[in-house]
Amino acid sequence: MSDSATPATPVTFPPAFLWGAATSAYQIEGAVREDGRTPSIWDTFSHTPGKTAGGDTGDVAVDHYHRYRDDVALMADLNLQAYRFSVSWSRVQPTGRGPAVQRGLDFYRRLVDELLEKGIKPAVTLYHWDLPQELEDAGGWPERDTAYRFAEYAQIVGEALGDRVETWMTLNEPWCAAFLGYASGVHAPGRTEPAAALKAAHHLNLAHGLGTKALRTVMPVRNQISLSLNTSVVRPLNPGSPADLVAARKIDDLSGGIFHGPILHGAYPETLLEATSSVTDWSCIQDGDLDTIHQPIDALGLNYYTPTLVSAADPDDKGPRADGHGASEHSPWPAADDVAFHQSPGDQTEMGWSVDPTGLHELIMRYHREAPGLPLYITENGAAYDDKPDADGRVHDPERVSYLHGHLSAVRRAIADGADVRGYFLWSLMDNFEWAYGYEKRFGAVYVDYASQKRTPKSSALWYAKAAKAGELPDPEGV
C-alpha cells in the first residue's frame, strides 16, 4: 500500500499490528501531593513564574489519578489494544533514593489490573522527564549518580509490575530531557548550560543501560525492554550545498547519533565528538560505560511529529531560531550556532509544525537499516489543533483525522517496504498539560473540558477506534 491509497482501496495492516495510545504521568495524573508523592522538576518548574503559559501547572491536570477507571473504560470503548503510560518517579520513590512508597506503586498496580481486565496491553515508560526534585538539587542528569539512582528505581518498578506488564521502555525522548532541560531551558529544570546538557545526554544513556540490566534481573525473560527516541528527520535546505550537508549532519548527530550511536552500536559518532569538542572533552565517559549502554534491547520506539530543515547559517542573519522547540535565547543545540533552522513546507499544526508523513516513512526506514532485525514501534505520533465543541457538544477535528490517516498510511508503506513495525501509539489519548505550553495546545483524540473534567471523544478518536477494530484505515472523510 502507498500513501496515496484511497477509500476504495483501504490501507490494511498485518493482523498482529498493535493499536494503542499514549500519555505521560505529569501531563495527566494530577494528585501531586497525594499518597506520599513529592515534587518533581516539573512541579518546581511549572510553579516558577514565567515558565509556563498562563502559569499553568500539572497539579490537577486531567485528574487521571482519581479517574483512571473511567479513562480505561473509555479506552476500551475506543477499541484500544494497548496503552502506553509513564510512572511518576517521585510518586514511587519520593527522594529518588531508598525504598518505595507502596501507596504510589499501588496506583500503578490498580491501573495495570484495570487495563488487563479490559483486555488492554499495558506498556510502561519509566522516565518521561519528571525527575525527583531532590535528585536535581543534587545535580540532576549532569551528575553520574543520577543514572545509578534510575537503575534502583527501575528495579523497584520492575519487581512490582513485571509479572503483569510485558512491554517496558526505560526513557522517553532523552533528547528533550537533556537539551530542552539543560541547554535551552524551555523544559524543566530550566538550566542553560551546554556542557551540562551533553553530560546529561551521556548519563541518560548510562541510565538506560543500567536500567535495562536492572529490569532483566527482576522480570520474566518474555518481557520486552526498549526506549523511545525522537530522532529528528533532518533535511538540508539545499541538498547540493556541501555546507548545508555538514549542517544537517551536525543536527542529526545531536538529535539521533548521540543516543542511537552508543545504544545500538556501542560508540558515539566521531563527527559528534569532534563537533562538540569546543564545549566538552567528553571526560564524563568512563571505562565500561559504552558496554553498559550497549545492552541488547528487544525493540525500539520512535516518536515523530515533523521533519527538521536546516542550512549553514548566514552570519548576518540574527533572526529567531525556528527549530520548533520553544522560544529561548539559549540554543538546545550545543556547538551548532553555525546552523540555521527553516520552516518546512506544507500545512502546519497548532504547534507550527509542518505536516509531512513522508518524514515518518523516512524515519522508519532509517532505523530499519540502522538496526536490521530490531522490531520497531511508533510510540508517539499526533498533532495539536485548536479543538472546540460545537453547539451540540461534539468535537469535530478533521485536520487531525487527515493527519492520522496520512501518517498511518506512511507506517503501512514502510511495512510494505520491509520494515518490522509492530504497532502505533497515538499521541495523545486525551488533551492534557502540554509542558511549557500549559493547557493551550490540545493533542488529544479525546477532548477534556478542564473545568468539569468531562471527556468527549473527538471525531479523530471515533475514526481511530474504527481503524483499531478493523485493522485498516477508514475513509478520513467518513467520520
Side-chain angles (χ1 to χ4, degrees), residues 10-28:
V11 179
T12 59
F13 284 77
F17 190 81
L18 196 64
W19 299 83
T23 64
S24 85
Y26 189 72
Q27 292 180 275
I28 68 165

mmCIF file of all heavy atoms in Angstrom, residues 10-28:
data_model
loop_
_atom_site.group_PDB
_atom_site.id
_atom_site.type_symbol
_atom_site.label_atom_id
_atom_site.label_comp_id
_atom_site.label_asym_id
_atom_site.label_seq_id
_atom_site.Cartn_x
_atom_site.Cartn_y
_atom_site.Cartn_z
ATOM 1 N N PRO A 10 -8.713 0.331 0.759
ATOM 2 C CA PRO A 10 -8.322 0.657 2.137
ATOM 3 C C PRO A 10 -6.884 0.224 2.445
ATOM 4 O O PRO A 10 -6.387 -0.769 1.924
ATOM 5 C CB PRO A 10 -9.321 -0.144 2.978
ATOM 6 C CG PRO A 10 -10.480 -0.411 2.075
ATOM 7 C CD PRO A 10 -9.892 -0.541 0.708
ATOM 8 N N VAL A 11 -6.252 1.019 3.304
ATOM 9 C CA VAL A 11 -4.918 0.693 3.776
ATOM 10 C C VAL A 11 -5.068 -0.322 4.910
ATOM 11 O O VAL A 11 -5.565 0.008 5.989
ATOM 12 C CB VAL A 11 -4.180 1.953 4.269
ATOM 13 C CG1 VAL A 11 -2.798 1.600 4.769
ATOM 14 C CG2 VAL A 11 -4.103 2.993 3.160
ATOM 15 N N THR A 12 -4.660 -1.540 4.675
ATOM 16 C CA THR A 12 -4.824 -2.605 5.665
ATOM 17 C C THR A 12 -3.491 -2.913 6.338
ATOM 18 O O THR A 12 -2.425 -2.774 5.735
ATOM 19 C CB THR A 12 -5.378 -3.876 5.018
ATOM 20 O OG1 THR A 12 -4.484 -4.304 3.980
ATOM 21 C CG2 THR A 12 -6.760 -3.634 4.429
ATOM 22 N N PHE A 13 -3.561 -3.369 7.590
ATOM 23 C CA PHE A 13 -2.380 -3.648 8.400
ATOM 24 C C PHE A 13 -2.304 -5.138 8.722
ATOM 25 O O PHE A 13 -3.318 -5.833 8.704
ATOM 26 C CB PHE A 13 -2.430 -2.834 9.696
ATOM 27 C CG PHE A 13 -2.089 -1.382 9.492
ATOM 28 C CD1 PHE A 13 -3.016 -0.507 8.937
ATOM 29 C CD2 PHE A 13 -0.844 -0.901 9.835
ATOM 30 C CE1 PHE A 13 -2.702 0.828 8.734
ATOM 31 C CE2 PHE A 13 -0.519 0.444 9.633
ATOM 32 C CZ PHE A 13 -1.447 1.302 9.079
ATOM 33 N N PRO A 14 -1.099 -5.631 9.064
ATOM 34 C CA PRO A 14 -0.977 -7.031 9.471
ATOM 35 C C PRO A 14 -1.885 -7.339 10.656
ATOM 36 O O PRO A 14 -2.104 -6.471 11.515
ATOM 37 C CB PRO A 14 0.506 -7.159 9.840
ATOM 38 C CG PRO A 14 1.196 -6.054 9.103
ATOM 39 C CD PRO A 14 0.203 -4.935 9.039
ATOM 40 N N PRO A 15 -2.398 -8.547 10.759
ATOM 41 C CA PRO A 15 -3.346 -8.877 11.840
ATOM 42 C C PRO A 15 -2.794 -8.633 13.238
ATOM 43 O O PRO A 15 -3.555 -8.278 14.142
ATOM 44 C CB PRO A 15 -3.630 -10.365 11.602
ATOM 45 C CG PRO A 15 -3.361 -10.583 10.149
ATOM 46 C CD PRO A 15 -2.253 -9.654 9.794
ATOM 47 N N ALA A 16 -1.501 -8.814 13.438
ATOM 48 C CA ALA A 16 -0.932 -8.671 14.777
ATOM 49 C C ALA A 16 -0.535 -7.236 15.111
ATOM 50 O O ALA A 16 -0.039 -6.976 16.214
ATOM 51 C CB ALA A 16 0.285 -9.579 14.920
ATOM 52 N N PHE A 17 -0.756 -6.301 14.203
ATOM 53 C CA PHE A 17 -0.372 -4.909 14.440
ATOM 54 C C PHE A 17 -1.111 -4.372 15.657
ATOM 55 O O PHE A 17 -2.321 -4.569 15.818
ATOM 56 C CB PHE A 17 -0.695 -4.065 13.209
ATOM 57 C CG PHE A 17 -0.137 -2.673 13.238
ATOM 58 C CD1 PHE A 17 1.182 -2.435 12.895
ATOM 59 C CD2 PHE A 17 -0.935 -1.594 13.597
ATOM 60 C CE1 PHE A 17 1.698 -1.145 12.909
ATOM 61 C CE2 PHE A 17 -0.429 -0.304 13.619
ATOM 62 C CZ PHE A 17 0.900 -0.080 13.280
ATOM 63 N N LEU A 18 -0.381 -3.678 16.537
ATOM 64 C CA LEU A 18 -0.915 -3.226 17.812
ATOM 65 C C LEU A 18 -1.372 -1.775 17.713
ATOM 66 O O LEU A 18 -0.598 -0.897 17.338
ATOM 67 C CB LEU A 18 0.165 -3.367 18.884
ATOM 68 C CG LEU A 18 -0.257 -3.317 20.349
ATOM 69 C CD1 LEU A 18 -1.167 -4.492 20.695
ATOM 70 C CD2 LEU A 18 0.994 -3.326 21.241
ATOM 71 N N TRP A 19 -2.629 -1.532 18.071
ATOM 72 C CA TRP A 19 -3.209 -0.185 18.013
ATOM 73 C C TRP A 19 -3.317 0.361 19.436
ATOM 74 O O TRP A 19 -4.049 -0.169 20.263
ATOM 75 C CB TRP A 19 -4.593 -0.229 17.373
ATOM 76 C CG TRP A 19 -4.573 -0.739 15.963
ATOM 77 C CD1 TRP A 19 -4.559 -2.041 15.557
ATOM 78 C CD2 TRP A 19 -4.552 0.051 14.768
ATOM 79 N NE1 TRP A 19 -4.523 -2.116 14.180
ATOM 80 C CE2 TRP A 19 -4.519 -0.849 13.671
ATOM 81 C CE3 TRP A 19 -4.565 1.421 14.517
ATOM 82 C CZ2 TRP A 19 -4.499 -0.414 12.343
ATOM 83 C CZ3 TRP A 19 -4.544 1.861 13.208
ATOM 84 C CH2 TRP A 19 -4.507 0.956 12.132
ATOM 85 N N GLY A 20 -2.572 1.443 19.712
ATOM 86 C CA GLY A 20 -2.552 1.966 21.067
ATOM 87 C C GLY A 20 -2.634 3.479 21.119
ATOM 88 O O GLY A 20 -2.764 4.172 20.107
ATOM 89 N N ALA A 21 -2.552 3.990 22.334
ATOM 90 C CA ALA A 21 -2.471 5.421 22.583
ATOM 91 C C ALA A 21 -1.541 5.623 23.765
ATOM 92 O O ALA A 21 -1.273 4.698 24.536
ATOM 93 C CB ALA A 21 -3.842 6.023 22.865
ATOM 94 N N ALA A 22 -1.034 6.854 23.913
ATOM 95 C CA ALA A 22 -0.008 7.124 24.919
ATOM 96 C C ALA A 22 -0.321 8.386 25.714
ATOM 97 O O ALA A 22 -1.014 9.294 25.242
ATOM 98 C CB ALA A 22 1.361 7.267 24.245
ATOM 99 N N THR A 23 0.224 8.425 26.941
ATOM 100 C CA THR A 23 0.162 9.597 27.820
ATOM 101 C C THR A 23 1.451 9.633 28.635
ATOM 102 O O THR A 23 2.301 8.761 28.517
ATOM 103 C CB THR A 23 -1.027 9.532 28.798
ATOM 104 O OG1 THR A 23 -0.827 8.412 29.681
ATOM 105 C CG2 THR A 23 -2.360 9.388 28.083
ATOM 106 N N SER A 24 1.573 10.632 29.515
ATOM 107 C CA SER A 24 2.661 10.621 30.496
ATOM 108 C C SER A 24 2.137 11.090 31.835
ATOM 109 O O SER A 24 1.151 11.829 31.913
ATOM 110 C CB SER A 24 3.834 11.489 30.039
ATOM 111 O OG SER A 24 3.634 12.849 30.384
ATOM 112 N N ALA A 25 2.843 10.688 32.896
ATOM 113 C CA ALA A 25 2.343 10.868 34.255
ATOM 114 C C ALA A 25 2.062 12.324 34.598
ATOM 115 O O ALA A 25 0.947 12.670 35.009
ATOM 116 C CB ALA A 25 3.333 10.264 35.252
ATOM 117 N N TYR A 26 3.056 13.197 34.467
ATOM 118 C CA TYR A 26 2.845 14.573 34.923
ATOM 119 C C TYR A 26 1.802 15.296 34.086
ATOM 120 O O TYR A 26 1.120 16.208 34.572
ATOM 121 C CB TYR A 26 4.155 15.371 34.918
ATOM 122 C CG TYR A 26 3.977 16.721 35.596
ATOM 123 C CD1 TYR A 26 3.817 16.798 36.980
ATOM 124 C CD2 TYR A 26 3.922 17.903 34.858
ATOM 125 C CE1 TYR A 26 3.614 18.026 37.609
ATOM 126 C CE2 TYR A 26 3.727 19.129 35.486
ATOM 127 C CZ TYR A 26 3.568 19.183 36.856
ATOM 128 O OH TYR A 26 3.352 20.385 37.489
ATOM 129 N N GLN A 27 1.618 14.877 32.851
ATOM 130 C CA GLN A 27 0.663 15.552 31.977
ATOM 131 C C GLN A 27 -0.786 15.208 32.289
ATOM 132 O O GLN A 27 -1.683 15.948 31.891
ATOM 133 C CB GLN A 27 0.976 15.227 30.520
ATOM 134 C CG GLN A 27 2.277 15.834 30.033
ATOM 135 C CD GLN A 27 2.556 15.506 28.589
ATOM 136 O OE1 GLN A 27 3.108 14.458 28.275
ATOM 137 N NE2 GLN A 27 2.176 16.391 27.690
ATOM 138 N N ILE A 28 -1.026 14.079 32.966
ATOM 139 C CA ILE A 28 -2.423 13.673 33.163
ATOM 140 C C ILE A 28 -2.815 13.359 34.601
ATOM 141 O O ILE A 28 -3.988 13.480 34.954
ATOM 142 C CB ILE A 28 -2.791 12.449 32.286
ATOM 143 C CG1 ILE A 28 -2.060 11.188 32.741
ATOM 144 C CG2 ILE A 28 -2.560 12.737 30.811
ATOM 145 C CD1 ILE A 28 -2.638 9.916 32.167
#
